[in-house]
Structures are given as structure tokens and as C-alpha cells.
Amino acid sequence: MGEKKPQTEAFKITKNHRRLLLGSVFLMATSAIGPAFLTQTAVFTAQFAASFAFAILLSILIDIGAQINIWRVLVVTGERGQEIANDVFKGLGTFISILIGIGGLAFNIGNIAGAGLGLNAIFGLDVKWGAAITAVLAILIFVSKSGQKIMDVVTMFLGVLMIVIVAFVMFKASPPYGEALTHMVLPEQPFALVLPIITLVGGTVGGYITFAGAHRILDSGIKGQDFLPFVNKAAITGILTTGVLRALLFLAVLGVVVTGVTLSSENPPASVFEHVLGPIGKNIFGVVLFAAAMSSVIGSAYTSATFIKTMHKSLFNKNNLIVITFIVISTIIFLSVGRPVTLLIIAGALNGLILPITLGTILIASKRRSIVGDYRHPTWMLVFGIVAVVITIFAGVFSLQGLFDLFK
């Protein structure tokens, strides 16, 4: 009898639960869809054409393996990623929090810059003014009394907006759907796609991103085994949402490059929009770029704060103050330094290193009764997670190579 009651409660999904489900899904998805995501997808599509579909499919499967392992263990224990890491090995969680804090800050500078460029493309505003306006808008969301609800609504709106616009561009581009479908399972040079697959995995669930939605769920007080069906749905939907936008953008770019058009090296995705939609394409791409960057600013600041706040008791109840400070510092650095290429390369290296450490730690925790209690982590998920760890170790090696190249 003792087990039946929680099971009944688990399936009583309220309206707030549904909003939280969508909020956590879009927070994770839009955190992954930043300015780098847009450029990355365009560049790889131009390079590998229809065969890039295989890389997208494989990366989505690996992403699900990483995401579902982490979200389940976090919600079962009711602890954040760094807290579980400290349970596994004392001090590891603090180390991870520092890595994510530094990496998140550096990426946020790039997100602020991207939002500034988006407003420049839409309205012709100076990029620095656009960056400052973005920072103010993001801060207003967090200082509001209903900050978390507004964050959920804003990330959902921006996510849907991006999907609708990119879908429209894709249909206008008339890509070869059959060719893309064939190469999704039969790529021309599968081994040449190893680097793109690793890059996509690192960009979709690397660093702080994989914890964005799970930490959002925990902050709402949802925890325990009763909510595992809810968590499975949220984790997989988050990855699929990111995958849908990636696939739509891939097809839009494919529809352009198969006609022989060479994309602009300065701004590959923008040139796709201009080719398909004409001069107004630049403005419309600006909307997508602003939406991608703004949502990433929110996701990066929020999730980084959930790591930083556990580093000291005095910080735990000051989440909004940490978020605001995080955004202000990111903006000041961008306004004073400009485009932070060096910081982004360093952040990319940290991003590649963080996921194998965090995911590996979560997998160890999933088998420790002292951490997860009577919860039994499915073996197939564990195997799925181990595969993701191995692949992301390779991502870390490539990321480090980029870091070494910086100092040559």
C-alpha cells in the first residue's frame, strides 16, 4: 500500500507542472541554441551537404543518453549536479562549479555580443547599444516578482519564434528532402563526420547546458522517483526541440548550397536568409539571432548561478543577485573589450571538458545506494551514458587542441 499513494500523486500533473515541463524543456533547448549553434550548423552543412543529416541524427541520440541520465539522477536525489559530485568525491562539485562559472561567463559575453548583433541587423542599432539593451531586458526578467514564470514564458516564446521563422525559410529554400533522408542513414563519408558529431554534442549538452532544465525543475521543488515519467518526457523533449531547430536550419542551408551558392564566410547563416528572402532576409535573421542570443543569456546566467550559489551558504538565497552580477560583468567586458574571441575559445575548451566529468560523476552516483537510496538506474541508460562519456572525452581532447592552438 505504501508504494501506491506516491504513484497516484505522480500522475496528477497540474497546470503548473505543464508550464514547468515546457519551461524546463525550452530553457535547456534555447540555452543550447545560441549564436554559435546557428553558425556551426550553417558551416557544417555547407561542408558536408546532405551527409550532415547523419551527424545530426547521431548527435541527438547521444544527447538523449547524456541528458536522461543526468536529469533522472538529479531529480531522484533532489540534489544539483555539483552537490552530487561532492557526494561522490569531496571537492569535485566545487571544482565543477568553478569551471562552469568561468565557462558560462565567457559564453555569456558571446551571447550578449550576439544579441547586440541581432538588434543591429533588425534596427540598425549600434552593436554595443544593442548589447546594453539586451542586458537590461534580461535583468528586468530576473528582478520581477514572477521572475521564474516570466523566464519560462520568454524562453518558450523565443524558442517557438525561432522554429517558426527557420521553418518558413526552409520551405522557401525547397531543399532536397529525399537526398537528406537517404544520407541520414547512408552518409557518403561517415568517418569525416566524427568531428561535427563531437562538436554538436558538446554544443548541445556541454558545460552548463545539460543542467539548465534539471536545475529549473529542482528549484520548483519537484524531486523524487514519483516524477521520473515527468523527467523522462522533459529531458527527451528538450533534446528533440533542439534537434528540430537544427534539422530545419540544416535543410534551409542545404536548399541554398545545393544550388551552388557559396555562403558568406563572415556570417554564413545570415547569407542563407538573404539568399532565400532577399534584402529583408538580413532583418529576419536578426530576429532569429536576437532570439537565440537572448534566450542563451537567460539560460547561461540562470544555470551558472545555480552552481555558484552552492559554493557558500551566504550565496544560497541570493540567486537573483548572482544572475544580475553575472549579466552585468558579461556586458561590461563586451562593451570594453569587444568581441571576446579568446575568451570564447577558452570557454569552448572548458565546455568540452565539463560534460565527461559531470556525466561520468552522475553515472557513478547512480550506482551508489548512499546517494540514490533504493532507486535502481536502468542498465541500458548506464550503457547509453558510458557511450556519451567516451564520445565527450574526444570532444574534450579537440577542445584542448583549440586551446593549445591559441597559445602557439
Side-chain angles (χ1 to χ4, degrees):
M1 293 293 288
E3 290 183 20
K4 287 184 180 178
K5 186 180 176 184
Q7 285 293 326
T8 304
E9 290 174 359
F11 288 97
K12 287 183 180 177
I13 303 299
T14 66
K15 186 178 178 181
N16 280 341
H17 286 152
R18 291 192 190 93
R19 180 184 58 76
L20 175 61
L21 173 68
L22 288 170
S24 60
V25 162
F26 278 99
L27 183 65
M28 176 269 136
T30 56
S31 292
I33 303 165
F37 174 102
L38 302 173
T39 303
Q40 205 180 68
T41 306
V43 169
F44 282 138
T45 303
Q47 186 176 349
F48 297 102
S51 291
F52 186 52
F54 176 77
I56 293 174
L57 176 63
L58 207 57
S59 68
I60 288 171
L61 294 175
I62 296 164
D63 290 344
I64 290 172
Q67 189 91 322
I68 202 167
N69 273 288
I70 290 175
W71 283 38
R72 281 176 69 95
V73 174
L74 262 62
V75 172
V76 162
T77 61
E79 292 188 325
R80 294 169 183 80
Q82 68 275 26
E83 293 168 327
I84 292 175
N86 277 331
D87 290 341
V88 171
F89 185 82
K90 192 174 181 180
L92 180 59
T94 303
F95 173 68
I96 289 170
S97 295
I98 292 169
L99 277 184
I100 286 182
I102 295 170
L105 181 68
F107 275 118
N108 217 40
I109 297 165
N111 293 332
I112 290 284
L117 287 167
L119 290 177
N120 170 265
I122 301 168
F123 303 113
L125 276 175
D126 181 273
V127 174
K128 291 189 174 182
W129 273 109
I133 290 168
T134 300
V136 171
L137 289 174
I139 288 169
L140 286 174
I141 289 171
F142 287 104
V143 297
S144 166
K145 287 181 180 179
S146 305
Q148 290 201 338
K149 286 184 179 179
I150 294 172
M151 179 177 72
D152 289 343
V153 171
V154 169
T155 52
M156 279 188 264
F157 171 77
L158 293 175
V160 171
L161 179 67
M162 285 188 281
I163 289 171
V164 169
I165 292 175
V166 175
F168 174 73
V169 174
M170 180 204 72
F171 285 122
K172 290 281 286 182
S174 299
Y177 298 105
E179 188 181 344
L181 192 62
T182 301
H183 285 84
M184 186 168 68
V185 289
L186 295 169
E188 289 181 356
Q189 295 177 304
F191 292 107
L193 291 165
V194 172
L195 180 58
I197 290 166
I198 289 169
T199 305
L200 296 192
V201 171
T204 310
V205 292
Y208 67 88
I209 297 168
T210 194
F211 293 96
H215 282 194
R216 172 72 188 93
I217 288 172
L218 290 179
D219 281 350
S220 298
I222 287 181
K223 61 182 179 180
Q225 294 187 45
D226 298 337
F227 286 96
L228 286 180
F230 176 87
V231 170
N232 290 344
K233 186 176 180 182
I236 293 171
T237 307
I239 292 297
L240 293 180
T241 302
T242 311
V244 164
L245 186 57
R246 176 99 63 187
L248 291 173
L249 185 59
F250 152 70
L251 288 168
V253 178
L254 184 64
V256 171
V257 297
V258 292
T259 63
V261 172
T262 302
L263 303 185
S264 162
S265 58
E266 289 184 7
N267 200 335
S271 62
V272 171
F273 278 65
E274 288 187 63
H275 179 79
V276 174
L277 304 175
I280 198 172
K282 177 185 175 184
N283 306 85
I284 294 174
F285 174 72
V287 174
V288 173
L289 180 58
F290 175 75
M294 180 67 178
S295 56
S296 292
V297 167
I298 294 168
S300 174
Y302 172 79
T303 312
S304 297
T306 65
F307 277 88
I308 294 167
K309 74 179 185 180
T310 60
M311 292 176 68
H312 195 275
K313 289 179 182 178
S314 63
L315 298 174
F316 195 80
N317 292 318
K318 295 179 180 175
N319 197 71
N320 280 0
L321 180 61
I322 297 169
V323 168
I324 293 165
T325 304
F326 196 85
I327 294 170
V328 168
I329 292 173
S330 304
T331 308
I332 289 171
I333 293 174
F334 171 66
L335 294 177
S336 56
V337 178
R339 184 170 284 277
V341 177
T342 303
L343 281 170
L344 286 171
I345 293 173
I346 293 170
L350 291 172
N351 218 31
L353 291 169
I354 291 167
L355 185 59
I357 295 171
T358 51
L359 180 54
T361 303
I362 295 296
L363 294 179
I364 293 169
S366 73
K367 291 300 177 181
R368 286 200 184 174
R369 288 289 181 94
S370 60
I371 298 174
V372 297
D374 62 355
Y375 166 70
R376 292 190 176 184
H377 199 59
T379 303
W380 71 267
M381 281 189 195
L382 182 67
V383 173
F384 214 165
I386 291 169
V387 171
V389 168
V390 171
I391 289 169
T392 52
I393 285 172
F394 282 105
V397 172
F398 279 107
S399 294
L400 278 178
Q401 184 59 51
L403 191 58
F404 290 143
D405 291 343
L406 181 65
F407 294 106
K408 281 182 179 178

